[in-house]
Amino acid sequence: MHIKINNYRKKKTLHRRYRHVSGLAQSELVLHNNPVLPLIDFSAFVSKDETNHYPRNIIEKLANACEHVGFFYAIGHGISNELLLRTLSVTRQLFDLDLKIKNQYASRLFVNSSNINYQSGGLSRGYQSIGENVTNSRRDRHEGFDLYRELDSNHPLRLQFNEKNLTNKTLPDYREMAIGWNLWPKELPLFKETITEYTTAMLQAGARVMRAIALSLNLPLNYFESTFNDSFWVIRCIRYPPVSQNKIQSPEYGEGCGEHSDYGWLTFVNQDLDSHNCLHVRTNDRSKATYISADPIVVEEQIALTCNIGDIIAFITKNKYRSTRHCVVSPVKPARSRISTPFFFEPNLDVKLRINETSPECYYGEYLINKICILNYLSN
């Protein structure tokens, strides 16, 4: 599928509820403390039936959120509180494993593509220790464990890279992603079981949100359906250890995760409910950045997911929808470590797209592998 959008809903003004707060957050960032991300209920978008009536007020609210903020809280996503909390719990158990065990599943073992075979491992899949991830030339204060979609053994996108086709120079340039396998820790079998359930639920939630986004762009309800019917999703399990107040500033280390925008399509953040003043969302593009803290919220006993627009949606909508820069500030002792399991809802590997005005059209898989190789270069 070629992604192209020509029609947009007229821009409307979002009346933000941001309040300026004097004083500086970490790294001299001005922080707004009110919980001000738009709250959107996606329960009406569970159906694919284009003849249904979908609430215009919610569609317009979503359009405003995507245009002016780039972040929003999602309820009505269809994922149980129990599954969200269980995913966080088993992720904490993963990071509590001995470092020697975790290093057996290190992604650094597969930086060299020749180490990637058809049985185990894959580019960028697996464990990263504190400081291995680098953002804005500074080491991030977190541990990570990356998981990507695993294509079945008989999936055509995997089979095209079998050994007898390796000399075929017309193949797309995303072999390492197509043939990769996740490194599931055998010491924690519940991790794979839970993540598999979490993935299924998140894919369904992503489909709901994308139906609403299609309508918000004045497109048919199922416009993006064929873009994601074989989604090459990504999950990054993360632990941010708490730091002492006097160790927040460091010439080598930055924040828990430095300021960035997400390079893909749509992100869902599931985070510890006691995670406060950690996820900071930028509210302007001026040199003196101001931020809001996107703390987790519960609405009518339902855990809301924090969602944000990625760079690809921003580009295909000609920046009508914002891919907003954000960062994670380390929790400060005596707070406990912060666990989050962001789910990146991404296109199929073989979807063709353009990611800026000057680049030629490419497969999403090629775009993804280019981003991963850049990140691996910065980390080494």
Side-chain angles (χ1 to χ4, degrees), residues 24 46 55 67 79 82 96 120 133 142 177 182 184 202 227 241 244 264-265 274 286 298 305 317 366 374:
L24 299 178
V46 64
E67 288 183 27
I79 306 175
E82 186 275 334
D96 283 343
S120 64
N133 199 72
H142 71 252
M177 302 313 301
N182 291 325
W184 300 104
M202 279 293 186
T227 307
S244 301
W265 195 272
D274 60 354
R286 296 189 294 271
V298 179
L305 294 171
T317 61
E366 294 172 331
I374 290 172

PDB file of all heavy atoms in Angstrom, residues 24 46 55 67 79 82 96 120 133 142 177 182 184 202 227 241 244 264-265 274 286 298 305 317 366 374:
ATOM      1  N   LEU A  24      12.025  25.727  37.901  1.00  0.00           N
ATOM      2  CA  LEU A  24      12.614  24.915  36.846  1.00  0.00           C
ATOM      3  C   LEU A  24      12.568  23.450  37.188  1.00  0.00           C
ATOM      4  O   LEU A  24      12.738  23.060  38.340  1.00  0.00           O
ATOM      5  CB  LEU A  24      14.071  25.339  36.619  1.00  0.00           C
ATOM      6  CG  LEU A  24      14.270  26.798  36.171  1.00  0.00           C
ATOM      7  CD1 LEU A  24      15.758  27.077  36.029  1.00  0.00           C
ATOM      8  CD2 LEU A  24      13.545  27.084  34.882  1.00  0.00           C
ATOM      9  N   VAL A  46     -14.710   0.520  18.163  1.00  0.00           N
ATOM     10  CA  VAL A  46     -14.395  -0.906  18.148  1.00  0.00           C
ATOM     11  C   VAL A  46     -14.879  -1.556  16.857  1.00  0.00           C
ATOM     12  O   VAL A  46     -14.314  -2.540  16.391  1.00  0.00           O
ATOM     13  CB  VAL A  46     -15.017  -1.601  19.382  1.00  0.00           C
ATOM     14  CG1 VAL A  46     -16.529  -1.539  19.350  1.00  0.00           C
ATOM     15  CG2 VAL A  46     -14.540  -3.039  19.499  1.00  0.00           C
ATOM     16  N   PRO A  55     -19.279   9.391  16.907  1.00  0.00           N
ATOM     17  CA  PRO A  55     -19.497  10.691  17.576  1.00  0.00           C
ATOM     18  C   PRO A  55     -18.579  11.789  17.039  1.00  0.00           C
ATOM     19  O   PRO A  55     -17.357  11.707  17.168  1.00  0.00           O
ATOM     20  CB  PRO A  55     -19.211  10.382  19.048  1.00  0.00           C
ATOM     21  CG  PRO A  55     -18.403   9.127  19.050  1.00  0.00           C
ATOM     22  CD  PRO A  55     -18.810   8.359  17.855  1.00  0.00           C
ATOM     23  N   GLU A  67      -3.429  17.905  16.312  1.00  0.00           N
ATOM     24  CA  GLU A  67      -2.891  19.098  15.668  1.00  0.00           C
ATOM     25  C   GLU A  67      -2.091  19.968  16.622  1.00  0.00           C
ATOM     26  O   GLU A  67      -1.066  20.538  16.254  1.00  0.00           O
ATOM     27  CB  GLU A  67      -4.027  19.932  15.063  1.00  0.00           C
ATOM     28  CG  GLU A  67      -4.656  19.325  13.822  1.00  0.00           C
ATOM     29  CD  GLU A  67      -5.726  20.222  13.226  1.00  0.00           C
ATOM     30  OE1 GLU A  67      -5.633  21.460  13.423  1.00  0.00           O
ATOM     31  OE2 GLU A  67      -6.646  19.709  12.591  1.00  0.00           O
ATOM     32  N   ILE A  79      -8.450  -2.612  26.809  1.00  0.00           N
ATOM     33  CA  ILE A  79      -7.446  -3.422  27.503  1.00  0.00           C
ATOM     34  C   ILE A  79      -7.729  -3.391  28.997  1.00  0.00           C
ATOM     35  O   ILE A  79      -7.897  -2.320  29.579  1.00  0.00           O
ATOM     36  CB  ILE A  79      -6.021  -2.914  27.226  1.00  0.00           C
ATOM     37  CG1 ILE A  79      -5.783  -2.825  25.719  1.00  0.00           C
ATOM     38  CG2 ILE A  79      -4.984  -3.828  27.874  1.00  0.00           C
ATOM     39  CD1 ILE A  79      -4.448  -2.228  25.343  1.00  0.00           C
ATOM     40  N   GLU A  82      -6.090  -5.324  34.600  1.00  0.00           N
ATOM     41  CA  GLU A  82      -5.321  -6.474  35.073  1.00  0.00           C
ATOM     42  C   GLU A  82      -4.175  -6.786  34.119  1.00  0.00           C
ATOM     43  O   GLU A  82      -3.041  -7.040  34.554  1.00  0.00           O
ATOM     44  CB  GLU A  82      -6.249  -7.691  35.220  1.00  0.00           C
ATOM     45  CG  GLU A  82      -5.590  -8.916  35.856  1.00  0.00           C
ATOM     46  CD  GLU A  82      -4.832  -9.787  34.854  1.00  0.00           C
ATOM     47  OE1 GLU A  82      -5.198  -9.764  33.664  1.00  0.00           O
ATOM     48  OE2 GLU A  82      -3.870 -10.473  35.276  1.00  0.00           O
ATOM     49  N   ASP A  96      14.701  -7.478  37.356  1.00  0.00           N
ATOM     50  CA  ASP A  96      15.239  -7.930  38.638  1.00  0.00           C
ATOM     51  C   ASP A  96      16.139  -9.157  38.505  1.00  0.00           C
ATOM     52  O   ASP A  96      16.790  -9.563  39.470  1.00  0.00           O
ATOM     53  CB  ASP A  96      14.092  -8.243  39.613  1.00  0.00           C
ATOM     54  CG  ASP A  96      13.471  -6.983  40.204  1.00  0.00           C
ATOM     55  OD1 ASP A  96      14.111  -5.913  40.130  1.00  0.00           O
ATOM     56  OD2 ASP A  96      12.342  -7.068  40.733  1.00  0.00           O
ATOM     57  N   SER A 120      17.740 -17.796  15.805  1.00  0.00           N
ATOM     58  CA  SER A 120      17.672 -17.040  17.057  1.00  0.00           C
ATOM     59  C   SER A 120      18.260 -15.654  16.884  1.00  0.00           C
ATOM     60  O   SER A 120      19.127 -15.433  16.035  1.00  0.00           O
ATOM     61  CB  SER A 120      18.430 -17.777  18.171  1.00  0.00           C
ATOM     62  OG  SER A 120      19.808 -17.852  17.860  1.00  0.00           O
ATOM     63  N   ASN A 133      21.839   2.981  25.646  1.00  0.00           N
ATOM     64  CA  ASN A 133      21.025   3.802  24.759  1.00  0.00           C
ATOM     65  C   ASN A 133      21.503   5.251  24.862  1.00  0.00           C
ATOM     66  O   ASN A 133      21.713   5.777  25.962  1.00  0.00           O
ATOM     67  CB  ASN A 133      19.548   3.712  25.145  1.00  0.00           C
ATOM     68  CG  ASN A 133      18.639   4.155  24.024  1.00  0.00           C
ATOM     69  OD1 ASN A 133      18.491   3.464  23.029  1.00  0.00           O
ATOM     70  ND2 ASN A 133      18.011   5.320  24.183  1.00  0.00           N
ATOM     71  N   HIS A 142      18.664   4.345  31.776  1.00  0.00           N
ATOM     72  CA  HIS A 142      17.644   3.291  31.860  1.00  0.00           C
ATOM     73  C   HIS A 142      18.169   1.983  31.301  1.00  0.00           C
ATOM     74  O   HIS A 142      19.116   1.954  30.515  1.00  0.00           O
ATOM     75  CB  HIS A 142      16.344   3.719  31.157  1.00  0.00           C
ATOM     76  CG  HIS A 142      16.439   3.779  29.660  1.00  0.00           C
ATOM     77  ND1 HIS A 142      16.455   4.964  28.961  1.00  0.00           N
ATOM     78  CD2 HIS A 142      16.501   2.804  28.711  1.00  0.00           C
ATOM     79  CE1 HIS A 142      16.519   4.728  27.665  1.00  0.00           C
ATOM     80  NE2 HIS A 142      16.556   3.408  27.483  1.00  0.00           N
ATOM     81  N   MET A 177      15.483  -7.375   9.828  1.00  0.00           N
ATOM     82  CA  MET A 177      14.237  -7.261  10.592  1.00  0.00           C
ATOM     83  C   MET A 177      13.308  -8.430  10.275  1.00  0.00           C
ATOM     84  O   MET A 177      12.645  -8.975  11.164  1.00  0.00           O
ATOM     85  CB  MET A 177      13.529  -5.938  10.283  1.00  0.00           C
ATOM     86  CG  MET A 177      14.352  -4.691  10.564  1.00  0.00           C
ATOM     87  SD  MET A 177      15.184  -4.696  12.178  1.00  0.00           S
ATOM     88  CE  MET A 177      13.820  -4.856  13.308  1.00  0.00           C
ATOM     89  N   ASN A 182      12.885 -12.800  18.638  1.00  0.00           N
ATOM     90  CA  ASN A 182      13.100 -12.187  19.945  1.00  0.00           C
ATOM     91  C   ASN A 182      13.870 -13.127  20.874  1.00  0.00           C
ATOM     92  O   ASN A 182      13.824 -14.351  20.724  1.00  0.00           O
ATOM     93  CB  ASN A 182      11.765 -11.798  20.578  1.00  0.00           C
ATOM     94  CG  ASN A 182      11.105 -10.648  19.854  1.00  0.00           C
ATOM     95  OD1 ASN A 182      11.785  -9.744  19.362  1.00  0.00           O
ATOM     96  ND2 ASN A 182       9.781 -10.684  19.759  1.00  0.00           N
ATOM     97  N   TRP A 184      13.666 -14.454  24.161  1.00  0.00           N
ATOM     98  CA  TRP A 184      12.770 -14.626  25.303  1.00  0.00           C
ATOM     99  C   TRP A 184      13.527 -15.313  26.452  1.00  0.00           C
ATOM    100  O   TRP A 184      14.024 -16.419  26.284  1.00  0.00           O
ATOM    101  CB  TRP A 184      11.562 -15.475  24.910  1.00  0.00           C
ATOM    102  CG  TRP A 184      10.738 -14.895  23.810  1.00  0.00           C
ATOM    103  CD1 TRP A 184      10.705 -15.293  22.504  1.00  0.00           C
ATOM    104  CD2 TRP A 184       9.822 -13.797  23.908  1.00  0.00           C
ATOM    105  NE1 TRP A 184       9.819 -14.521  21.785  1.00  0.00           N
ATOM    106  CE2 TRP A 184       9.260 -13.586  22.624  1.00  0.00           C
ATOM    107  CE3 TRP A 184       9.416 -12.967  24.961  1.00  0.00           C
ATOM    108  CZ2 TRP A 184       8.322 -12.593  22.360  1.00  0.00           C
ATOM    109  CZ3 TRP A 184       8.478 -11.973  24.695  1.00  0.00           C
ATOM    110  CH2 TRP A 184       7.951 -11.795  23.417  1.00  0.00           C
ATOM    111  N   MET A 202      -2.972  -4.748  22.435  1.00  0.00           N
ATOM    112  CA  MET A 202      -2.505  -3.455  21.946  1.00  0.00           C
ATOM    113  C   MET A 202      -2.773  -3.274  20.454  1.00  0.00           C
ATOM    114  O   MET A 202      -3.086  -2.172  19.995  1.00  0.00           O
ATOM    115  CB  MET A 202      -1.008  -3.302  22.231  1.00  0.00           C
ATOM    116  CG  MET A 202      -0.688  -2.875  23.650  1.00  0.00           C
ATOM    117  SD  MET A 202      -1.255  -1.182  23.968  1.00  0.00           S
ATOM    118  CE  MET A 202      -0.585  -0.923  25.606  1.00  0.00           C
ATOM    119  N   THR A 227      -2.763  -0.895   5.858  1.00  0.00           N
ATOM    120  CA  THR A 227      -1.431  -0.466   6.269  1.00  0.00           C
ATOM    121  C   THR A 227      -0.956  -1.234   7.495  1.00  0.00           C
ATOM    122  O   THR A 227       0.249  -1.425   7.684  1.00  0.00           O
ATOM    123  CB  THR A 227      -1.436   1.045   6.590  1.00  0.00           C
ATOM    124  OG1 THR A 227      -1.974   1.759   5.482  1.00  0.00           O
ATOM    125  CG2 THR A 227      -0.034   1.550   6.875  1.00  0.00           C
ATOM    126  N   PRO A 241      16.003   3.576  36.848  1.00  0.00           N
ATOM    127  CA  PRO A 241      16.348   3.536  38.270  1.00  0.00           C
ATOM    128  C   PRO A 241      16.292   4.929  38.878  1.00  0.00           C
ATOM    129  O   PRO A 241      16.567   5.928  38.198  1.00  0.00           O
ATOM    130  CB  PRO A 241      17.788   2.998  38.261  1.00  0.00           C
ATOM    131  CG  PRO A 241      18.331   3.392  36.934  1.00  0.00           C
ATOM    132  CD  PRO A 241      17.171   3.329  35.984  1.00  0.00           C
ATOM    133  N   SER A 244      19.860   9.981  43.031  1.00  0.00           N
ATOM    134  CA  SER A 244      19.927  10.961  44.108  1.00  0.00           C
ATOM    135  C   SER A 244      19.838  12.358  43.527  1.00  0.00           C
ATOM    136  O   SER A 244      20.260  12.614  42.396  1.00  0.00           O
ATOM    137  CB  SER A 244      21.246  10.816  44.876  1.00  0.00           C
ATOM    138  OG  SER A 244      21.368   9.528  45.423  1.00  0.00           O
ATOM    139  N   GLY A 264       8.205   6.523  14.467  1.00  0.00           N
ATOM    140  CA  GLY A 264       7.239   5.689  13.773  1.00  0.00           C
ATOM    141  C   GLY A 264       5.875   6.315  13.598  1.00  0.00           C
ATOM    142  O   GLY A 264       5.739   7.483  13.222  1.00  0.00           O
ATOM    143  N   TRP A 265       4.846   5.518  13.923  1.00  0.00           N
ATOM    144  CA  TRP A 265       3.474   5.889  13.597  1.00  0.00           C
ATOM    145  C   TRP A 265       2.690   6.352  14.824  1.00  0.00           C
ATOM    146  O   TRP A 265       2.292   7.512  14.916  1.00  0.00           O
ATOM    147  CB  TRP A 265       2.787   4.674  12.956  1.00  0.00           C
ATOM    148  CG  TRP A 265       1.507   5.011  12.256  1.00  0.00           C
ATOM    149  CD1 TRP A 265       0.261   5.057  12.796  1.00  0.00           C
ATOM    150  CD2 TRP A 265       1.346   5.360  10.885  1.00  0.00           C
ATOM    151  NE1 TRP A 265      -0.671   5.395  11.850  1.00  0.00           N
ATOM    152  CE2 TRP A 265      -0.032   5.590  10.660  1.00  0.00           C
ATOM    153  CE3 TRP A 265       2.229   5.476   9.810  1.00  0.00           C
ATOM    154  CZ2 TRP A 265      -0.537   5.953   9.417  1.00  0.00           C
ATOM    155  CZ3 TRP A 265       1.716   5.831   8.574  1.00  0.00           C
ATOM    156  CH2 TRP A 265       0.344   6.064   8.388  1.00  0.00           C
ATOM    157  N   ASP A 274       2.353   4.831  39.971  1.00  0.00           N
ATOM    158  CA  ASP A 274       2.999   5.751  40.908  1.00  0.00           C
ATOM    159  C   ASP A 274       4.149   6.508  40.249  1.00  0.00           C
ATOM    160  O   ASP A 274       5.006   7.083  40.926  1.00  0.00           O
ATOM    161  CB  ASP A 274       3.497   5.013  42.151  1.00  0.00           C
ATOM    162  CG  ASP A 274       4.521   3.926  41.828  1.00  0.00           C
ATOM    163  OD1 ASP A 274       4.758   3.666  40.636  1.00  0.00           O
ATOM    164  OD2 ASP A 274       5.078   3.342  42.785  1.00  0.00           O
ATOM    165  N   ARG A 286       9.920  26.804  20.985  1.00  0.00           N
ATOM    166  CA  ARG A 286      10.865  27.888  21.212  1.00  0.00           C
ATOM    167  C   ARG A 286      12.105  27.353  21.927  1.00  0.00           C
ATOM    168  O   ARG A 286      12.104  26.266  22.487  1.00  0.00           O
ATOM    169  CB  ARG A 286      10.211  29.003  22.028  1.00  0.00           C
ATOM    170  CG  ARG A 286       9.040  29.680  21.302  1.00  0.00           C
ATOM    171  CD  ARG A 286       8.576  30.905  22.067  1.00  0.00           C
ATOM    172  NE  ARG A 286       8.010  30.540  23.356  1.00  0.00           N
ATOM    173  CZ  ARG A 286       6.725  30.250  23.547  1.00  0.00           C
ATOM    174  NH1 ARG A 286       5.898  30.243  22.521  1.00  0.00           N
ATOM    175  NH2 ARG A 286       6.285  29.947  24.758  1.00  0.00           N
ATOM    176  N   VAL A 298      -6.202   7.423  36.053  1.00  0.00           N
ATOM    177  CA  VAL A 298      -7.261   6.424  36.046  1.00  0.00           C
ATOM    178  C   VAL A 298      -8.581   7.169  35.954  1.00  0.00           C
ATOM    179  O   VAL A 298      -8.839   8.093  36.733  1.00  0.00           O
ATOM    180  CB  VAL A 298      -7.223   5.545  37.317  1.00  0.00           C
ATOM    181  CG1 VAL A 298      -8.364   4.531  37.300  1.00  0.00           C
ATOM    182  CG2 VAL A 298      -5.870   4.831  37.438  1.00  0.00           C
ATOM    183  N   LEU A 305      -4.295   5.003  28.723  1.00  0.00           N
ATOM    184  CA  LEU A 305      -3.010   4.905  28.044  1.00  0.00           C
ATOM    185  C   LEU A 305      -2.602   6.290  27.559  1.00  0.00           C
ATOM    186  O   LEU A 305      -3.437   7.063  27.077  1.00  0.00           O
ATOM    187  CB  LEU A 305      -3.105   3.953  26.855  1.00  0.00           C
ATOM    188  CG  LEU A 305      -3.358   2.486  27.168  1.00  0.00           C
ATOM    189  CD1 LEU A 305      -3.642   1.710  25.887  1.00  0.00           C
ATOM    190  CD2 LEU A 305      -2.180   1.871  27.914  1.00  0.00           C
ATOM    191  N   THR A 317       0.656  13.813   6.986  1.00  0.00           N
ATOM    192  CA  THR A 317      -0.376  14.846   7.145  1.00  0.00           C
ATOM    193  C   THR A 317       0.200  16.245   6.942  1.00  0.00           C
ATOM    194  O   THR A 317      -0.439  17.232   7.274  1.00  0.00           O
ATOM    195  CB  THR A 317      -1.025  14.771   8.537  1.00  0.00           C
ATOM    196  OG1 THR A 317      -0.036  14.976   9.550  1.00  0.00           O
ATOM    197  CG2 THR A 317      -1.710  13.433   8.758  1.00  0.00           C
ATOM    198  N   GLU A 366      12.677  -0.709   5.430  1.00  0.00           N
ATOM    199  CA  GLU A 366      13.946  -0.040   5.131  1.00  0.00           C
ATOM    200  C   GLU A 366      14.110   1.214   5.975  1.00  0.00           C
ATOM    201  O   GLU A 366      15.219   1.512   6.461  1.00  0.00           O
ATOM    202  CB  GLU A 366      13.997   0.283   3.637  1.00  0.00           C
ATOM    203  CG  GLU A 366      14.035  -0.967   2.760  1.00  0.00           C
ATOM    204  CD  GLU A 366      13.881  -0.671   1.283  1.00  0.00           C
ATOM    205  OE1 GLU A 366      13.221   0.336   0.936  1.00  0.00           O
ATOM    206  OE2 GLU A 366      14.406  -1.449   0.465  1.00  0.00           O
ATOM    207  N   ILE A 374      21.251   3.786  12.872  1.00  0.00           N
ATOM    208  CA  ILE A 374      21.724   5.073  13.402  1.00  0.00           C
ATOM    209  C   ILE A 374      21.806   5.020  14.907  1.00  0.00           C
ATOM    210  O   ILE A 374      22.795   5.435  15.516  1.00  0.00           O
ATOM    211  CB  ILE A 374      20.794   6.212  12.939  1.00  0.00           C
ATOM    212  CG1 ILE A 374      20.949   6.463  11.434  1.00  0.00           C
ATOM    213  CG2 ILE A 374      21.099   7.504  13.708  1.00  0.00           C
ATOM    214  CD1 ILE A 374      19.943   7.437  10.876  1.00  0.00           C
TER     215      ILE A 374
END
